Amino acid sequence: MRESTKKDDLVIRPRGRPRAYEPDVALRQATDAFWKAGYAGTSLDDISAATGMNRPSLRAAFGDKHAIYVRTLVDYWDMKSSVMHDALKGDHSLKDALMRVYEAALAIYFSGEGNARGCFVLGTAITEAADDGEIQGIVRNGLRKLDACFEGRLRMARDKGELAKDADVGALALLASATMHTIAIRARAGTSKKDLRKLAQKAVTIITG
């Protein structure tokens, strides 16, 4: 029997365990995979490669491909709503507040590597929403929140005298939302960020009268 033992031999090495992962990081990586190829064009193997998690680990953590996508879609809407609220709050003029929203949206749409990737919802969910009730519901509720957010800020502006007393804030909110959707589509189609910023400025001029 040996009387001396090397220090390294005294270290108790753990048995093999599944790789640790951060759920939030994994979902962001899954979002990037869906954003690049769309829902139909993204397989569970693609998500596995993007997250570094094997298929059993993915299923155990998040469920099947559909469940993973739903999580990414809900998280995207939550993120976008938070960005909008931050952009619209404060004592900024209505014009400045609206441009802050569109600048924030442009930052999202041009956040990927290489070509602009536009809006995650418009780029991946609209096609699926036609035949998937759950996805359709998430998209519909997200759009309603977007409209309501704009309408609330426009109503505040009307009360402060920045808009005419008879301004139809509901219609103007829809125009503000439609401008955001247009920017997203055109970004994905290759329109430059500079030109999209000009488009947003023109829309803001019309909305604020």
Side-chain angles (χ1 to χ4, degrees):
M1 180 176 180
R2 291 189 303 171
E3 295 182 359
S4 61
T5 306
K6 293 181 180 180
K7 183 178 180 180
D8 289 345
D9 292 339
L10 296 176
V11 176
I12 300 176
R13 294 178 174 81
R15 296 178 180 272
R17 292 178 296 181
R19 178 193 293 185
Y21 67 92
E22 294 291 338
D24 291 342
V25 174
L27 283 174
R28 285 199 301 272
Q29 293 166 333
T31 298
D32 289 338
F34 284 123
W35 213 332
K36 181 179 180 180
Y39 177 78
T42 303
S43 67
L44 203 57
D45 286 335
D46 293 328
I47 301 171
S48 178
T51 60
M53 300 170 63
N54 59 35
R55 291 167 64 103
S57 294
L58 281 171
R59 290 183 180 279
F62 305 113
D64 60 13
K65 171 186 160 179
H66 185 272
I68 296 172
Y69 177 72
V70 166
R71 284 282 300 275
T72 64
L73 187 59
V74 170
D75 283 357
Y76 178 84
W77 269 125
D78 288 345
M79 178 274 291
K80 196 163 186 178
S81 295
S82 177
V83 168
M84 275 197 67
H85 282 293
D86 288 344
L88 291 175
K89 70 181 182 182
D91 297 326
H92 304 283
S93 67
L94 178 59
K95 286 185 177 181
D96 287 345
L98 291 176
M99 279 309 302
R100 280 165 56 89
V101 171
Y102 294 133
E103 289 287 0
L106 285 170
I108 295 172
Y109 303 156
F110 284 84
S111 62
E113 297 180 2
N115 296 328
R117 54 186 182 174
C119 173
F120 183 67
V121 176
L122 296 183
T124 67
I126 298 302
T127 301
E128 305 306 321
D131 298 313
D132 189 309
E134 183 174 10
I135 293 176
Q136 185 183 79
I138 294 170
V139 173
R140 182 174 59 249
N141 290 336
L143 292 175
R144 286 174 177 170
K145 289 180 180 179
L146 184 70
D147 296 340
C149 195
F150 275 124
E151 186 170 343
R153 183 61 181 83
L154 289 163
R155 182 175 290 106
M156 182 188 303
R158 187 180 62 183
D159 293 342
K160 292 171 61 177
E162 290 185 276
L163 293 173
K165 292 182 178 180
D166 61 349
D168 186 341
V169 293
L172 292 175
L174 290 177
L175 177 57
S177 293
T179 298
M180 181 173 287
H181 304 327
T182 296
I183 290 172
I185 294 170
R186 290 174 182 268
R188 190 70 178 257
T191 303
S192 71
K193 192 173 184 179
K194 179 180 179 181
D195 287 343
L196 292 174
R197 184 176 290 112
K198 290 179 180 179
L199 185 157
Q201 290 169 340
K202 291 177 181 178
V204 168
T205 298
I206 294 172
I207 292 169
T208 59

PDB file of all heavy atoms in Angstrom, residues 165-183:
ATOM      1  N   LYS A 165     -58.086  68.566 -30.669  1.00  0.00           N
ATOM      2  CA  LYS A 165     -59.036  67.981 -29.723  1.00  0.00           C
ATOM      3  C   LYS A 165     -59.902  66.897 -30.357  1.00  0.00           C
ATOM      4  O   LYS A 165     -60.368  65.982 -29.669  1.00  0.00           O
ATOM      5  CB  LYS A 165     -59.920  69.082 -29.130  1.00  0.00           C
ATOM      6  CG  LYS A 165     -59.172  70.049 -28.224  1.00  0.00           C
ATOM      7  CD  LYS A 165     -60.123  71.082 -27.629  1.00  0.00           C
ATOM      8  CE  LYS A 165     -59.382  72.026 -26.692  1.00  0.00           C
ATOM      9  NZ  LYS A 165     -60.288  73.048 -26.095  1.00  0.00           N
ATOM     10  N   ASP A 166     -60.160  67.035 -31.667  1.00  0.00           N
ATOM     11  CA  ASP A 166     -60.999  66.053 -32.348  1.00  0.00           C
ATOM     12  C   ASP A 166     -60.177  64.974 -33.058  1.00  0.00           C
ATOM     13  O   ASP A 166     -60.707  64.220 -33.894  1.00  0.00           O
ATOM     14  CB  ASP A 166     -61.921  66.745 -33.350  1.00  0.00           C
ATOM     15  CG  ASP A 166     -61.139  67.492 -34.439  1.00  0.00           C
ATOM     16  OD1 ASP A 166     -59.910  67.633 -34.290  1.00  0.00           O
ATOM     17  OD2 ASP A 166     -61.773  67.920 -35.425  1.00  0.00           O
ATOM     18  N   ALA A 167     -58.891  64.873 -32.748  1.00  0.00           N
ATOM     19  CA  ALA A 167     -58.025  63.865 -33.379  1.00  0.00           C
ATOM     20  C   ALA A 167     -58.523  62.462 -33.047  1.00  0.00           C
ATOM     21  O   ALA A 167     -58.847  62.158 -31.894  1.00  0.00           O
ATOM     22  CB  ALA A 167     -56.592  64.044 -32.907  1.00  0.00           C
ATOM     23  N   ASP A 168     -58.590  61.610 -34.037  1.00  0.00           N
ATOM     24  CA  ASP A 168     -59.016  60.220 -33.862  1.00  0.00           C
ATOM     25  C   ASP A 168     -57.790  59.398 -33.457  1.00  0.00           C
ATOM     26  O   ASP A 168     -57.053  58.882 -34.306  1.00  0.00           O
ATOM     27  CB  ASP A 168     -59.613  59.694 -35.172  1.00  0.00           C
ATOM     28  CG  ASP A 168     -60.223  58.304 -35.023  1.00  0.00           C
ATOM     29  OD1 ASP A 168     -59.888  57.601 -34.047  1.00  0.00           O
ATOM     30  OD2 ASP A 168     -61.010  57.914 -35.899  1.00  0.00           O
ATOM     31  N   VAL A 169     -57.574  59.284 -32.147  1.00  0.00           N
ATOM     32  CA  VAL A 169     -56.349  58.630 -31.674  1.00  0.00           C
ATOM     33  C   VAL A 169     -56.339  57.140 -32.026  1.00  0.00           C
ATOM     34  O   VAL A 169     -55.271  56.542 -32.205  1.00  0.00           O
ATOM     35  CB  VAL A 169     -56.158  58.823 -30.156  1.00  0.00           C
ATOM     36  CG1 VAL A 169     -55.883  60.284 -29.833  1.00  0.00           C
ATOM     37  CG2 VAL A 169     -57.359  58.307 -29.378  1.00  0.00           C
ATOM     38  N   GLY A 170     -57.508  56.540 -32.143  1.00  0.00           N
ATOM     39  CA  GLY A 170     -57.555  55.133 -32.535  1.00  0.00           C
ATOM     40  C   GLY A 170     -57.033  54.923 -33.943  1.00  0.00           C
ATOM     41  O   GLY A 170     -56.240  54.012 -34.192  1.00  0.00           O
ATOM     42  N   ALA A 171     -57.483  55.769 -34.863  1.00  0.00           N
ATOM     43  CA  ALA A 171     -57.028  55.669 -36.245  1.00  0.00           C
ATOM     44  C   ALA A 171     -55.546  56.011 -36.363  1.00  0.00           C
ATOM     45  O   ALA A 171     -54.799  55.360 -37.108  1.00  0.00           O
ATOM     46  CB  ALA A 171     -57.860  56.601 -37.127  1.00  0.00           C
ATOM     47  N   LEU A 172     -55.112  57.021 -35.625  1.00  0.00           N
ATOM     48  CA  LEU A 172     -53.700  57.409 -35.663  1.00  0.00           C
ATOM     49  C   LEU A 172     -52.812  56.301 -35.080  1.00  0.00           C
ATOM     50  O   LEU A 172     -51.699  56.088 -35.544  1.00  0.00           O
ATOM     51  CB  LEU A 172     -53.494  58.719 -34.892  1.00  0.00           C
ATOM     52  CG  LEU A 172     -54.118  59.965 -35.522  1.00  0.00           C
ATOM     53  CD1 LEU A 172     -53.935  61.165 -34.604  1.00  0.00           C
ATOM     54  CD2 LEU A 172     -53.491  60.248 -36.888  1.00  0.00           C
ATOM     55  N   ALA A 173     -53.313  55.594 -34.072  1.00  0.00           N
ATOM     56  CA  ALA A 173     -52.557  54.485 -33.484  1.00  0.00           C
ATOM     57  C   ALA A 173     -52.378  53.364 -34.503  1.00  0.00           C
ATOM     58  O   ALA A 173     -51.299  52.755 -34.597  1.00  0.00           O
ATOM     59  CB  ALA A 173     -53.266  53.964 -32.242  1.00  0.00           C
ATOM     60  N   LEU A 174     -53.431  53.089 -35.265  1.00  0.00           N
ATOM     61  CA  LEU A 174     -53.322  52.063 -36.305  1.00  0.00           C
ATOM     62  C   LEU A 174     -52.314  52.479 -37.371  1.00  0.00           C
ATOM     63  O   LEU A 174     -51.556  51.642 -37.883  1.00  0.00           O
ATOM     64  CB  LEU A 174     -54.689  51.824 -36.946  1.00  0.00           C
ATOM     65  CG  LEU A 174     -55.738  51.135 -36.070  1.00  0.00           C
ATOM     66  CD1 LEU A 174     -57.063  51.030 -36.820  1.00  0.00           C
ATOM     67  CD2 LEU A 174     -55.270  49.749 -35.646  1.00  0.00           C
ATOM     68  N   LEU A 175     -52.282  53.764 -37.694  1.00  0.00           N
ATOM     69  CA  LEU A 175     -51.311  54.262 -38.659  1.00  0.00           C
ATOM     70  C   LEU A 175     -49.891  54.129 -38.119  1.00  0.00           C
ATOM     71  O   LEU A 175     -48.973  53.746 -38.844  1.00  0.00           O
ATOM     72  CB  LEU A 175     -51.615  55.726 -38.998  1.00  0.00           C
ATOM     73  CG  LEU A 175     -50.639  56.422 -39.959  1.00  0.00           C
ATOM     74  CD1 LEU A 175     -50.542  55.664 -41.273  1.00  0.00           C
ATOM     75  CD2 LEU A 175     -51.085  57.863 -40.205  1.00  0.00           C
ATOM     76  N   ALA A 176     -49.728  54.422 -36.826  1.00  0.00           N
ATOM     77  CA  ALA A 176     -48.409  54.286 -36.199  1.00  0.00           C
ATOM     78  C   ALA A 176     -47.950  52.828 -36.210  1.00  0.00           C
ATOM     79  O   ALA A 176     -46.781  52.529 -36.497  1.00  0.00           O
ATOM     80  CB  ALA A 176     -48.456  54.818 -34.767  1.00  0.00           C
ATOM     81  N   SER A 177     -48.869  51.906 -35.913  1.00  0.00           N
ATOM     82  CA  SER A 177     -48.544  50.475 -35.944  1.00  0.00           C
ATOM     83  C   SER A 177     -48.219  50.018 -37.356  1.00  0.00           C
ATOM     84  O   SER A 177     -47.268  49.265 -37.580  1.00  0.00           O
ATOM     85  CB  SER A 177     -49.713  49.647 -35.394  1.00  0.00           C
ATOM     86  OG  SER A 177     -49.911  49.878 -34.026  1.00  0.00           O
ATOM     87  N   ALA A 178     -49.030  50.474 -38.315  1.00  0.00           N
ATOM     88  CA  ALA A 178     -48.815  50.089 -39.709  1.00  0.00           C
ATOM     89  C   ALA A 178     -47.453  50.572 -40.204  1.00  0.00           C
ATOM     90  O   ALA A 178     -46.785  49.888 -40.996  1.00  0.00           O
ATOM     91  CB  ALA A 178     -49.923  50.658 -40.590  1.00  0.00           C
ATOM     92  N   THR A 179     -47.029  51.727 -39.735  1.00  0.00           N
ATOM     93  CA  THR A 179     -45.715  52.239 -40.108  1.00  0.00           C
ATOM     94  C   THR A 179     -44.619  51.305 -39.598  1.00  0.00           C
ATOM     95  O   THR A 179     -43.646  51.012 -40.309  1.00  0.00           O
ATOM     96  CB  THR A 179     -45.500  53.651 -39.534  1.00  0.00           C
ATOM     97  OG1 THR A 179     -46.476  54.531 -40.088  1.00  0.00           O
ATOM     98  CG2 THR A 179     -44.114  54.168 -39.847  1.00  0.00           C
ATOM     99  N   MET A 180     -44.788  50.822 -38.382  1.00  0.00           N
ATOM    100  CA  MET A 180     -43.805  49.895 -37.831  1.00  0.00           C
ATOM    101  C   MET A 180     -43.742  48.609 -38.653  1.00  0.00           C
ATOM    102  O   MET A 180     -42.661  48.089 -38.948  1.00  0.00           O
ATOM    103  CB  MET A 180     -44.129  49.570 -36.371  1.00  0.00           C
ATOM    104  CG  MET A 180     -43.136  48.629 -35.710  1.00  0.00           C
ATOM    105  SD  MET A 180     -43.437  48.414 -33.946  1.00  0.00           S
ATOM    106  CE  MET A 180     -42.888  50.009 -33.321  1.00  0.00           C
ATOM    107  N   HIS A 181     -44.912  48.088 -39.056  1.00  0.00           N
ATOM    108  CA  HIS A 181     -44.946  46.867 -39.859  1.00  0.00           C
ATOM    109  C   HIS A 181     -44.291  47.101 -41.222  1.00  0.00           C
ATOM    110  O   HIS A 181     -43.546  46.241 -41.723  1.00  0.00           O
ATOM    111  CB  HIS A 181     -46.394  46.401 -40.063  1.00  0.00           C
ATOM    112  CG  HIS A 181     -47.146  46.202 -38.791  1.00  0.00           C
ATOM    113  ND1 HIS A 181     -46.542  45.767 -37.626  1.00  0.00           N
ATOM    114  CD2 HIS A 181     -48.470  46.380 -38.497  1.00  0.00           C
ATOM    115  CE1 HIS A 181     -47.454  45.685 -36.668  1.00  0.00           C
ATOM    116  NE2 HIS A 181     -48.615  46.046 -37.172  1.00  0.00           N
ATOM    117  N   THR A 182     -44.570  48.253 -41.812  1.00  0.00           N
ATOM    118  CA  THR A 182     -43.984  48.583 -43.114  1.00  0.00           C
ATOM    119  C   THR A 182     -42.457  48.645 -43.024  1.00  0.00           C
ATOM    120  O   THR A 182     -41.747  48.134 -43.903  1.00  0.00           O
ATOM    121  CB  THR A 182     -44.533  49.934 -43.617  1.00  0.00           C
ATOM    122  OG1 THR A 182     -45.932  49.816 -43.838  1.00  0.00           O
ATOM    123  CG2 THR A 182     -43.856  50.338 -44.924  1.00  0.00           C
ATOM    124  N   ILE A 183     -41.970  49.261 -41.962  1.00  0.00           N
ATOM    125  CA  ILE A 183     -40.523  49.350 -41.764  1.00  0.00           C
ATOM    126  C   ILE A 183     -39.921  47.958 -41.662  1.00  0.00           C
ATOM    127  O   ILE A 183     -38.865  47.668 -42.249  1.00  0.00           O
ATOM    128  CB  ILE A 183     -40.206  50.179 -40.505  1.00  0.00           C
ATOM    129  CG1 ILE A 183     -40.544  51.652 -40.738  1.00  0.00           C
ATOM    130  CG2 ILE A 183     -38.735  50.032 -40.110  1.00  0.00           C
ATOM    131  CD1 ILE A 183     -40.438  52.509 -39.490  1.00  0.00           C
TER     132      ILE A 183
END
